[in-house]
Amino acid sequence: MKPRLYLETTIPSYLVARRSRDLRLAADQEATQEWWEQRRHNFDLFVSDLVMREARRGDTQFAAARLEKLRGIAILSVSPAAEQLAERLLRDGIIPATAADDATHLGFAAAHSMDFLLTWNCRHINNRALERRIERACLACGLTCPVVCTPTELMEE
C-alpha cells in the first residue's frame, strides 16, 4: 500500500508558474517539477474542494494548467473532524484567522489520515516553530498529524 499524500495548493501552483527570477523560488519550482515527474507515483494523491477552489483562482490560463495537473486526483470530502481541527487551530491562535484556509488544509489531511501533507507554505503549514502546537491540536481532536513537508524533503529515498 502506498503512503497517502495530501497536495496543498502551492504544489500545482509551483508546477505551472513561470520560472521565478528569484533563485530560491526557482529552485523550489524545479524541485517540485522533479518530485512530480519522479516521485509522485510512489504515493496515493489526494486534494480537497478547497484545493480545487484555490487552483481555479487567478489568471485563467494558469488556473486551467493547475486544474489539469490535478485531474484524476481523488477529492476528499468535508468531515466534522476536519472542521473541528481547523476551528481548534484558529481558536488556539496556532494559525491566524487571516490564514483560515491553511487551517482547513491541515484539517483535511489529518482527518483523512494522510501520511503526508505536501506544501511550500512555510509560513503557517510547514513551519517548524508551529509543528509541535499543530501536532498537539491534532491529538486533542483525536487525530494523527501527517508529516508536513516540501517536495525537496520527499525526494530522498
Side-chain angles (χ1 to χ4, degrees), residues 44-151:
D44 287 329
L45 303 180
F46 298 86
V47 295
S48 63
D49 282 332
L50 174 57
V51 171
M52 300 304 286
R53 281 195 312 271
E54 289 177 335
R56 286 185 189 97
R57 294 180 188 157
D59 179 275
T60 56
Q61 181 181 355
F62 286 108
R66 287 188 294 271
L67 292 172
E68 180 60 28
K69 291 289 184 186
L70 297 172
R71 191 166 44 98
I73 296 176
I75 300 174
L76 301 172
S77 59
V78 176
S79 73
E83 291 174 342
Q84 179 187 16
L85 176 57
E87 288 170 9
R88 183 180 199 98
L89 291 167
L90 296 168
R91 183 183 65 240
D92 291 354
I94 299 168
I95 295 183
T98 56
D101 286 348
D102 296 343
T104 301
H105 288 301
L106 286 160
F108 270 109
H112 288 279
S113 302
M114 295 291 116
D115 297 299
F116 296 95
L117 188 163
L118 197 65
T119 184
W120 281 110
N121 180 334
C122 297
R123 186 168 194 178
H124 301 120
I125 298 175
N126 189 18
N127 181 327
R128 295 296 170 236
L130 299 177
E131 183 176 29
R132 297 289 177 245
R133 293 179 68 200
I134 292 169
E135 288 173 354
R136 285 193 295 270
C138 288
L139 287 174
C141 292
L143 303 170
T144 301
C145 188
V147 174
V148 179
C149 56
T150 66

